[in-house]
Amino acid sequence: MQPKSYCRKLALRPAIVDKRTMNILVLNTGSSSLKAELLELPSEKSIFKKSFERLMDPQSLQDAFDALLKELRELGFSNRIDACVHRIVHGGKEFSQPVKLNDAIIARIERLCPLAPLHNPNNLRGVEVARSALPEVPHVAVFDTALHRTMPRRAKTYALRSELSDKHGVERYGFHGPSHDYVSRECALALGSNREDLRIVSLHLGNGASACALEYGASVETSMGLTPLEGLVMGTRSGDVDVGAAIHLAREEKWSLSQLDDALNKESGLKGISGIGNDLRDLEEHAAEGHDKAGLALNVFAHRAKKYIGAYTAVMGGVDVICFTGGIGENSASMRQRILGRLDFLGVHLDFDANRGCSENLNEGPVEISDSRSRVKVIVVRTHENLSMARSAASLLGASLKGEQKPIPIAVSARHVHLTQESLVKLFGENASLTPLKELSQPGQFACEEKVNLIGPRGRIDGVRILGPLRPGNQIEISRTDEFKLGVDAPVRHSGHVKASAPIVLEGPKGRIELREGLICAWRHIHMQPEDALAYGVKDKDYVEVDIIGGDRELTFKDVLVRVKDSYRLEMHIDTDEANAADLPRLSEGLLVRQGGRHAKLKSLRRQH
Ligand code: ADP
């Protein structure tokens, strides 16, 4: 693999998320219901909302959809629908992002039906009806499981026989993705922070309930599992239960599998413990009147949620934000107080008045209920899963609209060396100075006549060019392929972040130096000026995705760091391996998508560990 020539420029034509108004019809087809909402973006106005219940067969779903379209037509909206977005419960291992639906994708979703036999087939019936009624608009699928595909294997894996888990796709998938995604973003926004800078425990407490640990923007743990049964106590679902207890009950009661399924999914949880019902309001009333089992149900619910906060704090090595949402999380001040009690050791201090009064203010946005001493921010947010789905669809579709934006030139960086004055002297002698050979595209930067040899434990690379001017720290940038040759393991780092990077020996004509650190693989990045950033709708230190299309080897670069400075010139920098992987010479256009930073922070932290 030959390194390509230094800073070869290729013009890609990026298109960013389109800013025009889009009306998106959000559809959620359940086992016996169809919920629809038409949302206008980017204003996020809800234009129309309707639910149809008790749809017991395919014909009644068709009738409901016809009625929905008729109503939209009468209101003058039917020809103003730009896209439909469908909620699909299970995306299996395959879907970690929203996708545009076509026959092939639908066939792939159908193959996942065994993982969610109660949900996916119904969701797909909704897709079928909507696609035939609105064939001219794009249809997008958003998956409940997608957010959690970033979980590490240790969190996803059940300690079962691997062979069986692999064969049947048995692992933790997690659900409520659109909700956890939405509320965690809202929290970060409300705190004037980036989700990528926060460790968030998100508690969606409704009839279904789940907890999610979002470590610097990526889900790393969640309480629901292969199915939405595991984890927190729910309205009628047990959440965590000793499987041995379930086997014992089934054996003693002589239950069939479907009876066991019903017992755990429909007759347990708040309803099961209290014997009253699944509505928390009723339980709170009964408990206040001294109903023992109602009080117990509340305590078990709160205890379980508290346990998960502790566990997820440990998993993330700390917590910055605890976020409550869902019917219970948004409305029950007493449940929030029960859950948060005795967490002051974590730095959680509740503001009791704010907690009591917050529900009325949720329509205006997230409300903080922690007091000024609290190191951990506790936030209550009204969830909006439909809006979350609509945003995902708009972002996906906007990203696929190729516009005539300013092209981003791509420069391929061959391996190179930045030196300090002191190193230059050691390598090239007492009176050495850099001899500029040619100007580089970034103003003030130049390639030099001088070269050095890199020597690693396994091999050497001779004649590596020095780039000027001299810097306050040594930094040697190589590719992954170079690492194998040298026999070193260099971390992928942002420029300037060389602390605890890899060691390397440099050899010059007058001497050699052994650097304890300084060897890195450069993090792919885009240099731009403030006005470019404005035009692309990004800011310094954002991460973006760049879709590179047109060649035989279509590729999306995720986690591309945006660097904004007056002195920069617009240019994306990748290394030779990345350029080769994308078969760059054959490319004609690319898309810049304003998302994709979710893993960046996490990855950098993991590497530093
Ligand atoms: P789903 O998961 O079906 O969307 P929701 O998020 O609507 O469920 O949550 C329903 C739960 O929220 C019910 O248990 C209900 O009792 C509870 N809830 C709603 N309003 C209040 C309230 N004011 N106080 C306490 N609990 C409430």
Side-chain angles (χ1 to χ4, degrees), residues 282-312:
D282 296 340
L283 268 57
E284 287 181 339
E285 268 173 40
H286 279 79
E289 289 158 11
H291 191 294
D292 175 54
K293 288 292 197 289
L296 179 63
L298 300 180
N299 284 333
V300 177
F301 187 100
H303 173 83
R304 184 84 53 87
K306 185 198 293 286
K307 221 162 77 168
Y308 271 92
I309 293 175
Y312 288 0

PDB file of all heavy atoms in Angstrom, residues 282-312:
ATOM      1  N   ASP A 282     -53.707   5.813  40.889  1.00  0.00           N
ATOM      2  CA  ASP A 282     -54.564   5.011  41.788  1.00  0.00           C
ATOM      3  C   ASP A 282     -53.740   4.443  42.933  1.00  0.00           C
ATOM      4  O   ASP A 282     -54.173   4.437  44.083  1.00  0.00           O
ATOM      5  CB  ASP A 282     -55.200   3.841  41.032  1.00  0.00           C
ATOM      6  CG  ASP A 282     -56.134   4.329  39.931  1.00  0.00           C
ATOM      7  OD1 ASP A 282     -56.551   5.508  40.023  1.00  0.00           O
ATOM      8  OD2 ASP A 282     -56.417   3.548  39.012  1.00  0.00           O
ATOM      9  N   LEU A 283     -52.544   3.981  42.591  1.00  0.00           N
ATOM     10  CA  LEU A 283     -51.710   3.370  43.631  1.00  0.00           C
ATOM     11  C   LEU A 283     -51.295   4.402  44.671  1.00  0.00           C
ATOM     12  O   LEU A 283     -51.266   4.115  45.872  1.00  0.00           O
ATOM     13  CB  LEU A 283     -50.462   2.733  43.001  1.00  0.00           C
ATOM     14  CG  LEU A 283     -50.596   1.268  42.627  1.00  0.00           C
ATOM     15  CD1 LEU A 283     -51.744   1.005  41.689  1.00  0.00           C
ATOM     16  CD2 LEU A 283     -49.303   0.757  42.023  1.00  0.00           C
ATOM     17  N   GLU A 284     -50.974   5.598  44.206  1.00  0.00           N
ATOM     18  CA  GLU A 284     -50.571   6.651  45.151  1.00  0.00           C
ATOM     19  C   GLU A 284     -51.732   6.988  46.094  1.00  0.00           C
ATOM     20  O   GLU A 284     -51.538   7.183  47.293  1.00  0.00           O
ATOM     21  CB  GLU A 284     -50.065   7.887  44.400  1.00  0.00           C
ATOM     22  CG  GLU A 284     -48.673   7.625  43.797  1.00  0.00           C
ATOM     23  CD  GLU A 284     -48.055   8.802  43.040  1.00  0.00           C
ATOM     24  OE1 GLU A 284     -48.798   9.704  42.602  1.00  0.00           O
ATOM     25  OE2 GLU A 284     -46.828   8.804  42.880  1.00  0.00           O
ATOM     26  N   GLU A 285     -52.939   7.022  45.525  1.00  0.00           N
ATOM     27  CA  GLU A 285     -54.115   7.303  46.376  1.00  0.00           C
ATOM     28  C   GLU A 285     -54.325   6.207  47.410  1.00  0.00           C
ATOM     29  O   GLU A 285     -54.503   6.469  48.591  1.00  0.00           O
ATOM     30  CB  GLU A 285     -55.377   7.415  45.513  1.00  0.00           C
ATOM     31  CG  GLU A 285     -55.658   8.844  45.093  1.00  0.00           C
ATOM     32  CD  GLU A 285     -56.810   8.917  44.102  1.00  0.00           C
ATOM     33  OE1 GLU A 285     -57.810   8.178  44.290  1.00  0.00           O
ATOM     34  OE2 GLU A 285     -56.690   9.698  43.148  1.00  0.00           O
ATOM     35  N   HIS A 286     -54.287   4.956  46.945  1.00  0.00           N
ATOM     36  CA  HIS A 286     -54.496   3.837  47.874  1.00  0.00           C
ATOM     37  C   HIS A 286     -53.398   3.787  48.933  1.00  0.00           C
ATOM     38  O   HIS A 286     -53.674   3.531  50.104  1.00  0.00           O
ATOM     39  CB  HIS A 286     -54.539   2.508  47.114  1.00  0.00           C
ATOM     40  CG  HIS A 286     -55.868   2.240  46.493  1.00  0.00           C
ATOM     41  ND1 HIS A 286     -56.278   2.823  45.317  1.00  0.00           N
ATOM     42  CD2 HIS A 286     -56.902   1.459  46.892  1.00  0.00           C
ATOM     43  CE1 HIS A 286     -57.488   2.404  45.009  1.00  0.00           C
ATOM     44  NE2 HIS A 286     -57.902   1.567  45.955  1.00  0.00           N
ATOM     45  N   ALA A 287     -52.181   4.025  48.507  1.00  0.00           N
ATOM     46  CA  ALA A 287     -51.063   3.971  49.462  1.00  0.00           C
ATOM     47  C   ALA A 287     -51.250   5.028  50.546  1.00  0.00           C
ATOM     48  O   ALA A 287     -51.000   4.780  51.728  1.00  0.00           O
ATOM     49  CB  ALA A 287     -49.738   4.162  48.741  1.00  0.00           C
ATOM     50  N   ALA A 288     -51.729   6.200  50.123  1.00  0.00           N
ATOM     51  CA  ALA A 288     -51.938   7.286  51.088  1.00  0.00           C
ATOM     52  C   ALA A 288     -53.000   6.901  52.118  1.00  0.00           C
ATOM     53  O   ALA A 288     -52.995   7.383  53.242  1.00  0.00           O
ATOM     54  CB  ALA A 288     -52.341   8.563  50.350  1.00  0.00           C
ATOM     55  N   GLU A 289     -53.903   6.011  51.685  1.00  0.00           N
ATOM     56  CA  GLU A 289     -54.942   5.554  52.624  1.00  0.00           C
ATOM     57  C   GLU A 289     -54.521   4.312  53.398  1.00  0.00           C
ATOM     58  O   GLU A 289     -55.324   3.686  54.087  1.00  0.00           O
ATOM     59  CB  GLU A 289     -56.237   5.250  51.850  1.00  0.00           C
ATOM     60  CG  GLU A 289     -56.927   6.505  51.345  1.00  0.00           C
ATOM     61  CD  GLU A 289     -57.849   6.219  50.163  1.00  0.00           C
ATOM     62  OE1 GLU A 289     -58.110   5.037  49.869  1.00  0.00           O
ATOM     63  OE2 GLU A 289     -58.265   7.208  49.525  1.00  0.00           O
ATOM     64  N   GLY A 290     -53.252   3.919  53.207  1.00  0.00           N
ATOM     65  CA  GLY A 290     -52.728   2.817  54.012  1.00  0.00           C
ATOM     66  C   GLY A 290     -52.813   1.451  53.363  1.00  0.00           C
ATOM     67  O   GLY A 290     -52.602   0.432  54.015  1.00  0.00           O
ATOM     68  N   HIS A 291     -53.109   1.396  52.082  1.00  0.00           N
ATOM     69  CA  HIS A 291     -53.156   0.096  51.381  1.00  0.00           C
ATOM     70  C   HIS A 291     -51.743  -0.462  51.277  1.00  0.00           C
ATOM     71  O   HIS A 291     -50.886   0.085  50.588  1.00  0.00           O
ATOM     72  CB  HIS A 291     -53.770   0.306  49.994  1.00  0.00           C
ATOM     73  CG  HIS A 291     -54.108  -0.959  49.276  1.00  0.00           C
ATOM     74  ND1 HIS A 291     -53.163  -1.866  48.855  1.00  0.00           N
ATOM     75  CD2 HIS A 291     -55.302  -1.481  48.893  1.00  0.00           C
ATOM     76  CE1 HIS A 291     -53.750  -2.873  48.232  1.00  0.00           C
ATOM     77  NE2 HIS A 291     -55.063  -2.666  48.252  1.00  0.00           N
ATOM     78  N   ASP A 292     -51.509  -1.579  51.974  1.00  0.00           N
ATOM     79  CA  ASP A 292     -50.148  -2.106  52.097  1.00  0.00           C
ATOM     80  C   ASP A 292     -49.519  -2.450  50.751  1.00  0.00           C
ATOM     81  O   ASP A 292     -48.404  -2.042  50.435  1.00  0.00           O
ATOM     82  CB  ASP A 292     -50.189  -3.349  53.001  1.00  0.00           C
ATOM     83  CG  ASP A 292     -48.834  -4.021  53.070  1.00  0.00           C
ATOM     84  OD1 ASP A 292     -47.861  -3.311  53.414  1.00  0.00           O
ATOM     85  OD2 ASP A 292     -48.720  -5.219  52.744  1.00  0.00           O
ATOM     86  N   LYS A 293     -50.247  -3.201  49.924  1.00  0.00           N
ATOM     87  CA  LYS A 293     -49.648  -3.669  48.675  1.00  0.00           C
ATOM     88  C   LYS A 293     -49.465  -2.515  47.677  1.00  0.00           C
ATOM     89  O   LYS A 293     -48.561  -2.551  46.840  1.00  0.00           O
ATOM     90  CB  LYS A 293     -50.513  -4.775  48.055  1.00  0.00           C
ATOM     91  CG  LYS A 293     -50.435  -6.092  48.831  1.00  0.00           C
ATOM     92  CD  LYS A 293     -49.058  -6.673  48.671  1.00  0.00           C
ATOM     93  CE  LYS A 293     -48.855  -8.097  49.006  1.00  0.00           C
ATOM     94  NZ  LYS A 293     -48.849  -8.715  50.213  1.00  0.00           N
ATOM     95  N   ALA A 294     -50.316  -1.506  47.762  1.00  0.00           N
ATOM     96  CA  ALA A 294     -50.122  -0.340  46.890  1.00  0.00           C
ATOM     97  C   ALA A 294     -48.823   0.367  47.295  1.00  0.00           C
ATOM     98  O   ALA A 294     -48.004   0.735  46.439  1.00  0.00           O
ATOM     99  CB  ALA A 294     -51.305   0.618  46.991  1.00  0.00           C
ATOM    100  N   GLY A 295     -48.610   0.513  48.584  1.00  0.00           N
ATOM    101  CA  GLY A 295     -47.375   1.134  49.074  1.00  0.00           C
ATOM    102  C   GLY A 295     -46.168   0.301  48.689  1.00  0.00           C
ATOM    103  O   GLY A 295     -45.132   0.846  48.266  1.00  0.00           O
ATOM    104  N   LEU A 296     -46.312  -1.010  48.796  1.00  0.00           N
ATOM    105  CA  LEU A 296     -45.194  -1.890  48.430  1.00  0.00           C
ATOM    106  C   LEU A 296     -44.856  -1.731  46.947  1.00  0.00           C
ATOM    107  O   LEU A 296     -43.686  -1.640  46.568  1.00  0.00           O
ATOM    108  CB  LEU A 296     -45.571  -3.351  48.743  1.00  0.00           C
ATOM    109  CG  LEU A 296     -44.510  -4.397  48.392  1.00  0.00           C
ATOM    110  CD1 LEU A 296     -43.236  -4.187  49.204  1.00  0.00           C
ATOM    111  CD2 LEU A 296     -45.055  -5.818  48.613  1.00  0.00           C
ATOM    112  N   ALA A 297     -45.881  -1.671  46.112  1.00  0.00           N
ATOM    113  CA  ALA A 297     -45.648  -1.515  44.662  1.00  0.00           C
ATOM    114  C   ALA A 297     -44.844  -0.245  44.386  1.00  0.00           C
ATOM    115  O   ALA A 297     -43.891  -0.254  43.598  1.00  0.00           O
ATOM    116  CB  ALA A 297     -46.973  -1.487  43.918  1.00  0.00           C
ATOM    117  N   LEU A 298     -45.210   0.844  45.070  1.00  0.00           N
ATOM    118  CA  LEU A 298     -44.477   2.105  44.870  1.00  0.00           C
ATOM    119  C   LEU A 298     -43.022   1.954  45.296  1.00  0.00           C
ATOM    120  O   LEU A 298     -42.097   2.422  44.631  1.00  0.00           O
ATOM    121  CB  LEU A 298     -45.122   3.245  45.670  1.00  0.00           C
ATOM    122  CG  LEU A 298     -46.567   3.581  45.332  1.00  0.00           C
ATOM    123  CD1 LEU A 298     -47.057   4.733  46.206  1.00  0.00           C
ATOM    124  CD2 LEU A 298     -46.694   3.953  43.858  1.00  0.00           C
ATOM    125  N   ASN A 299     -42.830   1.281  46.432  1.00  0.00           N
ATOM    126  CA  ASN A 299     -41.468   1.131  46.944  1.00  0.00           C
ATOM    127  C   ASN A 299     -40.607   0.242  46.050  1.00  0.00           C
ATOM    128  O   ASN A 299     -39.431   0.523  45.835  1.00  0.00           O
ATOM    129  CB  ASN A 299     -41.481   0.561  48.368  1.00  0.00           C
ATOM    130  CG  ASN A 299     -41.885   1.632  49.365  1.00  0.00           C
ATOM    131  OD1 ASN A 299     -41.676   2.819  49.110  1.00  0.00           O
ATOM    132  ND2 ASN A 299     -42.481   1.229  50.480  1.00  0.00           N
ATOM    133  N   VAL A 300     -41.212  -0.828  45.543  1.00  0.00           N
ATOM    134  CA  VAL A 300     -40.442  -1.719  44.664  1.00  0.00           C
ATOM    135  C   VAL A 300     -40.067  -0.961  43.390  1.00  0.00           C
ATOM    136  O   VAL A 300     -38.935  -1.029  42.905  1.00  0.00           O
ATOM    137  CB  VAL A 300     -41.243  -3.006  44.330  1.00  0.00           C
ATOM    138  CG1 VAL A 300     -40.468  -3.881  43.355  1.00  0.00           C
ATOM    139  CG2 VAL A 300     -41.543  -3.782  45.601  1.00  0.00           C
ATOM    140  N   PHE A 301     -41.022  -0.204  42.871  1.00  0.00           N
ATOM    141  CA  PHE A 301     -40.788   0.578  41.647  1.00  0.00           C
ATOM    142  C   PHE A 301     -39.616   1.543  41.855  1.00  0.00           C
ATOM    143  O   PHE A 301     -38.678   1.605  41.044  1.00  0.00           O
ATOM    144  CB  PHE A 301     -42.074   1.349  41.309  1.00  0.00           C
ATOM    145  CG  PHE A 301     -42.034   2.065  39.988  1.00  0.00           C
ATOM    146  CD1 PHE A 301     -42.637   1.508  38.867  1.00  0.00           C
ATOM    147  CD2 PHE A 301     -41.416   3.308  39.852  1.00  0.00           C
ATOM    148  CE1 PHE A 301     -42.611   2.162  37.640  1.00  0.00           C
ATOM    149  CE2 PHE A 301     -41.383   3.965  38.627  1.00  0.00           C
ATOM    150  CZ  PHE A 301     -41.988   3.397  37.523  1.00  0.00           C
ATOM    151  N   ALA A 302     -39.673   2.284  42.967  1.00  0.00           N
ATOM    152  CA  ALA A 302     -38.645   3.303  43.229  1.00  0.00           C
ATOM    153  C   ALA A 302     -37.288   2.654  43.516  1.00  0.00           C
ATOM    154  O   ALA A 302     -36.246   3.111  43.029  1.00  0.00           O
ATOM    155  CB  ALA A 302     -39.055   4.167  44.420  1.00  0.00           C
ATOM    156  N   HIS A 303     -37.317   1.565  44.297  1.00  0.00           N
ATOM    157  CA  HIS A 303     -36.083   0.871  44.657  1.00  0.00           C
ATOM    158  C   HIS A 303     -35.358   0.383  43.405  1.00  0.00           C
ATOM    159  O   HIS A 303     -34.143   0.540  43.254  1.00  0.00           O
ATOM    160  CB  HIS A 303     -36.441  -0.304  45.573  1.00  0.00           C
ATOM    161  CG  HIS A 303     -35.304  -1.207  45.894  1.00  0.00           C
ATOM    162  ND1 HIS A 303     -34.402  -0.930  46.894  1.00  0.00           N
ATOM    163  CD2 HIS A 303     -34.901  -2.384  45.343  1.00  0.00           C
ATOM    164  CE1 HIS A 303     -33.502  -1.901  46.950  1.00  0.00           C
ATOM    165  NE2 HIS A 303     -33.779  -2.794  46.023  1.00  0.00           N
ATOM    166  N   ARG A 304     -36.135  -0.184  42.482  1.00  0.00           N
ATOM    167  CA  ARG A 304     -35.536  -0.725  41.249  1.00  0.00           C
ATOM    168  C   ARG A 304     -34.903   0.410  40.443  1.00  0.00           C
ATOM    169  O   ARG A 304     -33.787   0.285  39.935  1.00  0.00           O
ATOM    170  CB  ARG A 304     -36.628  -1.439  40.438  1.00  0.00           C
ATOM    171  CG  ARG A 304     -36.180  -2.137  39.178  1.00  0.00           C
ATOM    172  CD  ARG A 304     -35.628  -3.531  39.405  1.00  0.00           C
ATOM    173  NE  ARG A 304     -36.511  -4.404  40.157  1.00  0.00           N
ATOM    174  CZ  ARG A 304     -37.493  -5.168  39.640  1.00  0.00           C
ATOM    175  NH1 ARG A 304     -37.692  -5.175  38.330  1.00  0.00           N
ATOM    176  NH2 ARG A 304     -38.235  -5.925  40.402  1.00  0.00           N
ATOM    177  N   ALA A 305     -35.619   1.517  40.321  1.00  0.00           N
ATOM    178  CA  ALA A 305     -35.096   2.644  39.530  1.00  0.00           C
ATOM    179  C   ALA A 305     -33.819   3.181  40.174  1.00  0.00           C
ATOM    180  O   ALA A 305     -32.822   3.470  39.493  1.00  0.00           O
ATOM    181  CB  ALA A 305     -36.144   3.739  39.409  1.00  0.00           C
ATOM    182  N   LYS A 306     -33.829   3.284  41.510  1.00  0.00           N
ATOM    183  CA  LYS A 306     -32.644   3.782  42.225  1.00  0.00           C
ATOM    184  C   LYS A 306     -31.448   2.850  41.982  1.00  0.00           C
ATOM    185  O   LYS A 306     -30.320   3.294  41.759  1.00  0.00           O
ATOM    186  CB  LYS A 306     -32.964   3.837  43.724  1.00  0.00           C
ATOM    187  CG  LYS A 306     -31.852   4.454  44.576  1.00  0.00           C
ATOM    188  CD  LYS A 306     -32.017   4.099  46.037  1.00  0.00           C
ATOM    189  CE  LYS A 306     -33.239   4.706  46.688  1.00  0.00           C
ATOM    190  NZ  LYS A 306     -33.128   6.135  46.968  1.00  0.00           N
ATOM    191  N   LYS A 307     -31.726   1.555  42.010  1.00  0.00           N
ATOM    192  CA  LYS A 307     -30.673   0.562  41.793  1.00  0.00           C
ATOM    193  C   LYS A 307     -30.010   0.769  40.429  1.00  0.00           C
ATOM    194  O   LYS A 307     -28.797   0.699  40.287  1.00  0.00           O
ATOM    195  CB  LYS A 307     -31.307  -0.831  41.852  1.00  0.00           C
ATOM    196  CG  LYS A 307     -30.495  -1.846  42.577  1.00  0.00           C
ATOM    197  CD  LYS A 307     -31.342  -3.053  42.983  1.00  0.00           C
ATOM    198  CE  LYS A 307     -31.633  -3.997  41.844  1.00  0.00           C
ATOM    199  NZ  LYS A 307     -32.198  -5.280  42.306  1.00  0.00           N
ATOM    200  N   TYR A 308     -30.845   1.042  39.443  1.00  0.00           N
ATOM    201  CA  TYR A 308     -30.300   1.253  38.090  1.00  0.00           C
ATOM    202  C   TYR A 308     -29.481   2.544  38.005  1.00  0.00           C
ATOM    203  O   TYR A 308     -28.490   2.608  37.284  1.00  0.00           O
ATOM    204  CB  TYR A 308     -31.426   1.238  37.046  1.00  0.00           C
ATOM    205  CG  TYR A 308     -31.687  -0.167  36.538  1.00  0.00           C
ATOM    206  CD1 TYR A 308     -32.637  -0.979  37.137  1.00  0.00           C
ATOM    207  CD2 TYR A 308     -30.948  -0.692  35.491  1.00  0.00           C
ATOM    208  CE1 TYR A 308     -32.861  -2.268  36.694  1.00  0.00           C
ATOM    209  CE2 TYR A 308     -31.158  -1.979  35.036  1.00  0.00           C
ATOM    210  CZ  TYR A 308     -32.116  -2.768  35.641  1.00  0.00           C
ATOM    211  OH  TYR A 308     -32.322  -4.044  35.193  1.00  0.00           O
ATOM    212  N   ILE A 309     -29.906   3.568  38.735  1.00  0.00           N
ATOM    213  CA  ILE A 309     -29.109   4.809  38.713  1.00  0.00           C
ATOM    214  C   ILE A 309     -27.708   4.503  39.250  1.00  0.00           C
ATOM    215  O   ILE A 309     -26.695   4.895  38.661  1.00  0.00           O
ATOM    216  CB  ILE A 309     -29.767   5.917  39.565  1.00  0.00           C
ATOM    217  CG1 ILE A 309     -31.075   6.370  38.925  1.00  0.00           C
ATOM    218  CG2 ILE A 309     -28.813   7.113  39.718  1.00  0.00           C
ATOM    219  CD1 ILE A 309     -31.860   7.381  39.764  1.00  0.00           C
ATOM    220  N   GLY A 310     -27.655   3.761  40.360  1.00  0.00           N
ATOM    221  CA  GLY A 310     -26.359   3.408  40.943  1.00  0.00           C
ATOM    222  C   GLY A 310     -25.531   2.567  39.990  1.00  0.00           C
ATOM    223  O   GLY A 310     -24.343   2.829  39.773  1.00  0.00           O
ATOM    224  N   ALA A 311     -26.189   1.593  39.394  1.00  0.00           N
ATOM    225  CA  ALA A 311     -25.458   0.684  38.502  1.00  0.00           C
ATOM    226  C   ALA A 311     -24.909   1.446  37.298  1.00  0.00           C
ATOM    227  O   ALA A 311     -23.743   1.273  36.914  1.00  0.00           O
ATOM    228  CB  ALA A 311     -26.392  -0.427  38.039  1.00  0.00           C
ATOM    229  N   TYR A 312     -25.718   2.311  36.730  1.00  0.00           N
ATOM    230  CA  TYR A 312     -25.290   3.001  35.517  1.00  0.00           C
ATOM    231  C   TYR A 312     -24.226   4.062  35.824  1.00  0.00           C
ATOM    232  O   TYR A 312     -23.373   4.365  34.985  1.00  0.00           O
ATOM    233  CB  TYR A 312     -26.487   3.605  34.786  1.00  0.00           C
ATOM    234  CG  TYR A 312     -27.359   2.555  34.117  1.00  0.00           C
ATOM    235  CD1 TYR A 312     -27.020   1.197  34.216  1.00  0.00           C
ATOM    236  CD2 TYR A 312     -28.483   2.885  33.386  1.00  0.00           C
ATOM    237  CE1 TYR A 312     -27.795   0.218  33.616  1.00  0.00           C
ATOM    238  CE2 TYR A 312     -29.261   1.914  32.777  1.00  0.00           C
ATOM    239  CZ  TYR A 312     -28.917   0.584  32.904  1.00  0.00           C
ATOM    240  OH  TYR A 312     -29.685  -0.380  32.299  1.00  0.00           O
TER     241      TYR A 312
END
